[in-house]
Amino acid sequence: MTAASALSLFPISPSRSRSKFYTKKSASGRDGFRVLAVFGEDRGRGDSGGRSAWEAILHVEDPGPRLPLPRGKFLDANQALEVARFDIQYCDWRARHDLLAIMLLHDKVVQVLNPLAREYKSIGTMKKELAELQGELAQAHQQVHISEARISSALDKLAYMETLVNDKLIPERNTSATSSSECSSLAPSVPSSSGNSMAKKKPPRRTLNVSGPVQPYHPNLKNFWYPVAFSSALKDDTMVPLDCFEEPWVIFRGKNGRPGCVQNTCAHRACPLHLGTVNEGRIQCPYHGWEYSTDGKCEKMPSTKMLSVRIRSLPCFEHEGMIWIWPGDAPPTATLPSLLPPPGFKIHAELVMELPVEHGLLLDNLLDLAHAPFTHTSTFAKGWSVPSLVKFLTPASGLQGYWDPYPIDMEFRPPCIVLSTIGISKPGKLEGQSTRECSTHLHQLHVCLPSSTGKTRLLYRMSLDFAPLLKHIPFMHILWRYFAEKVLNEDLRLVVGQQDRMINGANIWNWPVSYDKLGVRYRQWREELERGAEQLPFTR
């Protein structure tokens, strides 16, 4: 049996990976790229019986490697290109064999169902043979899908490798030409600008490492407008206490009806203010009756002489049915983003929940849909089939896109917001391959407010573009909350387990794959934000 050769492409950076293949240093001692030939699965298929018309059409000679590929050896650029071409030839050979297997099985089915054959076989025997053939046919179809994915992956690897080869060879040629001119003239030369630009064209991929105890939030993450409550929850005589970046705050409406956000701690004896009441647009401490306005100024001190006292307050604004605050030290931006549902949608439910996980882990979960047919088997993904390949298709520079093969559009909106539109036909079912093909839709808003290093305040809003009368049914909000909590609990038992292992040192982003694209981009965006980059990635 011969073995298929595969390509392993990666940038040289000994500190960026723990893989045993990455730790070997190159002979030149310079950073660059390596191509490692490794041995994959067996290609042998065995004899499929007598030759048929399909074999004459689809039979292709085993390509076989053109170069000896010793296991674990690093190849030069030309050998690497040869390995890549062989990889694609092998994928084509394998796909033809898979298709040939399907056609041969089809011939067997026809033979079993042939009227002449039925005369000599019992019904029970025929049912048994058909069941066996059906299983083999399903397995062959599955193999064809795998072959398609292999061919696509091989083509991607070839294109990526050719780019790396060009990026590596052109600067080396420029360097060699420069060094030869140095030898002849014995004078220093200026490095080629074209070589530098080519080297910067494709920066090496950086690995993600999200492990260890949750660190205190970086100050740069605070310099955004954060939606913290729905307007419907804040009446003239009510308060909404909340934690934001490890600090306690309370929101209430002032004399003019506008919301304000002040520190949830009385300046006198540090009593929680939300335990008190709202009195004429001022929040009154339940301990000694001190009263504070929305800007944090103490305007009333019963039973004592009035002193000049003030507690901290945050910029607070009401916009499109939500209360926003600015917890950072930088001056607030002049505009607030819009989180309204698309035209034609009606809001049916607004829920607020406190969840025992760090907000980044919850965002990782919400930006991932490939887990749905495995995790949400008793709620919205009940009955979903498991695709052979799941992709998230997005622009080269963007934090939004759509899922394939699910009819779902999704967007991450900094700093902590996930928007999604799902095409549905009825509860728990999918219809069509894209949202445009679906007649009815569900729009969801998730806001993951970082309360503390181990807690997230989740704001959830659900909107529909059908069944407008549902929102007027009594107690319907209780049903929506029950369903939302059931879905979240399916996720929480997994994410809480992730958090426990992360705190103990496990990396929760060990092996990102194609359907992790949006989550990886969120992590890269956050990493650059905390690093203080002037231009954040994937943002306009």
Side-chain angles (χ1 to χ4, degrees), residues 276-297:
T277 58
V278 177
N279 182 24
E280 296 180 352
R282 296 187 297 267
I283 189 169
Q284 185 183 68
C285 177
Y287 209 171
H288 297 93
W290 290 23
E291 296 184 8
Y292 301 88
S293 59
T294 55
D295 61 356
K297 182 180 179 181

Side-chain angles (χ1 to χ4, degrees), residues 156-232:
D156 289 343
K157 284 194 291 186
L158 180 61
Y160 178 59
M161 193 191 67
E162 287 177 342
T163 304
L164 287 177
V165 169
N166 291 333
D167 292 350
K168 178 67 178 177
L169 292 181
I170 293 177
E172 285 184 352
R173 290 170 182 169
N174 291 336
T175 303
S176 61
T178 303
S179 55
S180 62
S181 63
E182 286 178 353
C183 294
S184 60
S185 62
L186 298 178
S189 61
V190 180
S192 171
S193 60
S194 63
N196 291 337
S197 63
M198 289 297 295
K200 295 178 181 179
K201 181 180 179 182
K202 275 278 187 181
R205 290 184 178 181
R206 295 190 303 171
T207 58
L208 288 175
N209 186 4
V210 182
S211 61
V214 181
Q215 300 300 317
Y217 289 110
H218 196 279
N220 290 347
L221 195 59
K222 299 181 181 181
N223 293 321
F224 291 90
W225 282 108
Y226 282 86
V228 295
F230 294 109
S231 298
S232 57

Side-chain angles (χ1 to χ4, degrees), residues 33 136 186 360 539:
F33 71 94
E136 293 181 21
L186 298 178
T539 56

Side-chain angles (χ1 to χ4, degrees), residues 45-60 95-113 129-130 132-134 136-138 140-141 144:
R45 269 260 177 196
D47 191 7
S48 59
R51 293 180 61 85
S52 68
W54 295 115
E55 283 187 281
I57 298 174
L58 296 174
H59 181 73
V60 178
R96 289 173 182 265
H97 270 249
D98 295 335
L99 185 58
L100 176 61
I102 291 178
M103 301 313 300
L104 293 177
L105 287 171
H106 177 268
D107 290 342
K108 287 184 180 180
V109 173
V110 173
Q111 183 181 1
V112 170
L113 294 177
E129 291 183 0
L130 285 174
E132 292 176 354
L133 289 172
Q134 186 177 8
E136 293 181 21
L137 191 60
H141 277 289
V144 168

Side-chain angles (χ1 to χ4, degrees), residues 71-347:
R71 184 186 184 94
K73 296 295 184 180
F74 292 100
L75 311 178
D76 60 26
N78 293 329
Q79 290 175 322
L81 284 173
E82 187 68 20
V83 172
R85 294 190 186 98
F86 166 68
D87 201 12
I88 294 175
Q89 290 176 355
Y90 161 71
C91 289
D92 174 70
W93 174 85
R94 183 61 178 269
R96 289 173 182 265
H97 270 249
D98 295 335
L99 185 58
L100 176 61
I102 291 178
M103 301 313 300
L104 293 177
L105 287 171
H106 177 268
D107 290 342
K108 287 184 180 180
V109 173
V110 173
Q111 183 181 1
V112 170
L113 294 177
N114 190 289
L116 294 177
R118 285 206 302 266
E119 296 178 1
Y120 302 100
K121 296 180 180 179
S122 65
I123 296 178
T125 303
M126 290 179 60
K127 286 184 177 179
K128 182 179 178 181
E129 291 183 0
L130 285 174
E132 292 176 354
L133 289 172
Q134 186 177 8
E136 293 181 21
L137 191 60
Q139 186 177 1
H141 277 289
Q142 180 72 14
Q143 194 63 37
V144 168
H145 289 306
I146 295 174
S147 296
E148 290 176 352
R150 283 176 178 158
I151 292 174
S152 176
S153 176
L155 291 173
D156 289 343
K157 284 194 291 186
L158 180 61
Y160 178 59
M161 193 191 67
E162 287 177 342
T163 304
L164 287 177
V165 169
N166 291 333
D167 292 350
K168 178 67 178 177
L169 292 181
I170 293 177
E172 285 184 352
R173 290 170 182 169
N174 291 336
T175 303
S176 61
T178 303
S179 55
S180 62
S181 63
E182 286 178 353
C183 294
S184 60
S185 62
L186 298 178
S189 61
V190 180
S192 171
S193 60
S194 63
N196 291 337
S197 63
M198 289 297 295
K200 295 178 181 179
K201 181 180 179 182
K202 275 278 187 181
R205 290 184 178 181
R206 295 190 303 171
T207 58
L208 288 175
N209 186 4
V210 182
S211 61
V214 181
Q215 300 300 317
Y217 289 110
H218 196 279
N220 290 347
L221 195 59
K222 299 181 181 181
N223 293 321
F224 291 90
W225 282 108
Y226 282 86
V228 295
F230 294 109
S231 298
S232 57
L234 192 63
K235 311 298 182 184
D236 290 339
D237 58 348
T238 61
M239 295 170 285
V240 175
L242 59 98
D243 291 337
C244 183
F245 292 105
E246 308 282 356
E247 295 184 273
W249 304 93
V250 60
I251 299 172
F252 65 101
R253 294 191 182 275
K255 295 179 181 180
N256 54 8
R258 295 179 180 175
C261 180
V262 299
Q263 183 181 356
N264 193 8
T265 305
C266 182
H268 178 214
R269 301 283 291 276
C271 180
L273 292 175
H274 77 275
L275 300 178
T277 58
V278 177
N279 182 24
E280 296 180 352
R282 296 187 297 267
I283 189 169
Q284 185 183 68
C285 177
Y287 209 171
H288 297 93
W290 290 23
E291 296 184 8
Y292 301 88
S293 59
T294 55
D295 61 356
K297 182 180 179 181
C298 184
E299 296 185 345
K300 203 169 185 179
M301 293 181 179
S303 307
T304 187
K305 182 180 178 181
M306 188 68 188
L307 301 174
S308 178
V309 175
R310 183 183 293 272
I311 58 177
R312 289 180 60 200
S313 64
L314 295 178
C316 185
F317 207 84
E318 187 170 14
H319 179 61
E320 295 179 346
M322 305 189 80
I323 310 297
W324 302 68
I325 64 172
W326 183 277
D329 296 329
T333 57
T335 58
L336 291 170
S338 177
L339 299 182
L340 287 177
F345 283 79
K346 298 293 183 183
I347 297 174

Side-chain angles (χ1 to χ4, degrees), residues 365 371-382 487-488 490-491:
N365 175 268
H371 75 277
F374 304 99
T375 304
H376 301 290
T377 54
S378 62
T379 53
F380 71 90
K382 185 177 182 179
V487 173
L488 275 173
E490 290 177 329
D491 286 318

